[in-house]
């Protein structure tokens, strides 16, 4: 029973990160393994808004990529749900405890708007993409380039 309860609690925490939607607005800058971009975050909880924006920035890099930058391709080729199913401990830890290691800056640019049609809060987020990629590789979530190469 304890294992079942722990599993349900873990999936609930991960689910909260997935329930927040976001939309990339525009690219601000990129340099030294970091990218700064604006995105609209659609969140129903004002108390969770800043964390949700940080997580949305990380999820955008991992699963969507940032067009017109060297990070145009997503860091991960698999979908978020299948990766979370295969690595629940890693994503629970990332989404609940370690996300702020990879978000250099998260600034609210507009007033909070409760989610609804066409309503989102604008944020500027800077993500340390190279550091995030290294962590994904170290934890075997993302394969390194060498790991994908086959011998002649």
């Amino acid at each position: 029973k304890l294992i079942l309860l722990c599993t349900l609690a873990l999936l609930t925490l991960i689910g909260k990160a997935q329930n927040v939607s976001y939309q990339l607005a525009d690219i601000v800058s990129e340099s030294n393994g970091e990218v700064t971009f604006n995105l609209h975050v659609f969140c129903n909880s004002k108390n969770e808004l800043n964390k949700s924006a940080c997580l949305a920035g990380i999820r955008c890099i991992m699963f969507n990529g940032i067009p017109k930058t060297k990070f145009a391709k997503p860091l991960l080729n698999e979908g978020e749900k299948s990766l979370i199913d295969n690595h629940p401990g890693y994503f629970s830890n990332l989404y609940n405890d370690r996300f702020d290691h990879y978000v250099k800056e998260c600034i609210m640019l507009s007033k909070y708007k409760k989610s609804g049609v066409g309503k989102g809060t604008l944020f500027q987020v800077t993500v340390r993409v190279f550091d995030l990629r290294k962590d994904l590789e170290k934890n075997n979530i993302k394969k390194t380039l060498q790991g994908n190469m086959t011998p002649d």
Side-chain angles (χ1 to χ4, degrees):
K1 283 185 176 182
L2 181 61
I3 293 172
L4 180 61
L5 289 174
C6 290
T7 303
L8 288 174
L10 176 68
L11 293 175
T12 302
L13 292 171
I14 292 172
K16 285 184 181 180
Q18 288 181 296
N19 286 335
V20 173
S21 61
Y22 56 90
Q23 180 180 23
L24 183 66
D26 57 355
I27 290 48
V28 177
S29 67
E30 66 175 302
S31 66
N32 299 324
E34 297 177 351
V35 64
T36 301
F37 52 96
N38 295 335
L39 68 142
H40 295 281
V41 177
F42 304 94
C43 177
N44 285 323
S45 171
K46 191 173 185 177
N47 294 335
E48 294 287 320
L49 186 60
N50 195 63
K51 178 180 179 180
S52 296
C54 292
L55 291 173
I58 289 174
R59 289 174 58 217
C60 191
I61 295 285
M62 289 193 302
F63 300 107
N64 303 108
I66 307 295
K68 300 178 185 172
T69 70
K70 61 184 164 193
F71 310 111
K73 291 184 178 180
L75 290 180
L76 300 171
N77 294 326
E78 286 184 59
E80 185 173 12
K81 183 174 180 346
S82 67
L83 281 168
I84 287 173
D85 288 346
N86 292 328
H87 307 280
Y90 175 83
F91 283 98
S92 174
N93 185 268
L94 176 66
Y95 288 172
N96 292 300
D97 300 322
R98 297 184 315 110
F99 66 91
D100 57 348
H101 293 120
Y102 307 106
V103 177
K104 181 177 181 179
E105 195 169 53
C106 186
I107 303 168
M108 189 181 334
L109 300 177
S110 69
K111 288 186 178 183
Y112 169 70
K113 296 176 191 159
K114 192 170 184 175
S115 291
V117 178
K119 293 182 180 178
T121 307
L122 186 63
F123 278 84
Q124 185 173 92
V125 182
T126 301
V127 176
R128 296 179 176 105
V129 182
F130 285 172
D131 291 346
L132 179 59
R133 187 193 76 212
K134 286 178 188 176
D135 186 67
L136 291 165
E137 290 171 353
K138 182 179 106 184
N139 288 282
N140 297 313
I141 309 299
K142 175 181 177 59
K143 293 189 179 5
T144 62
L145 182 58
Q146 279 184 325
N148 289 335
M149 297 173 81
T150 56
D152 292 336

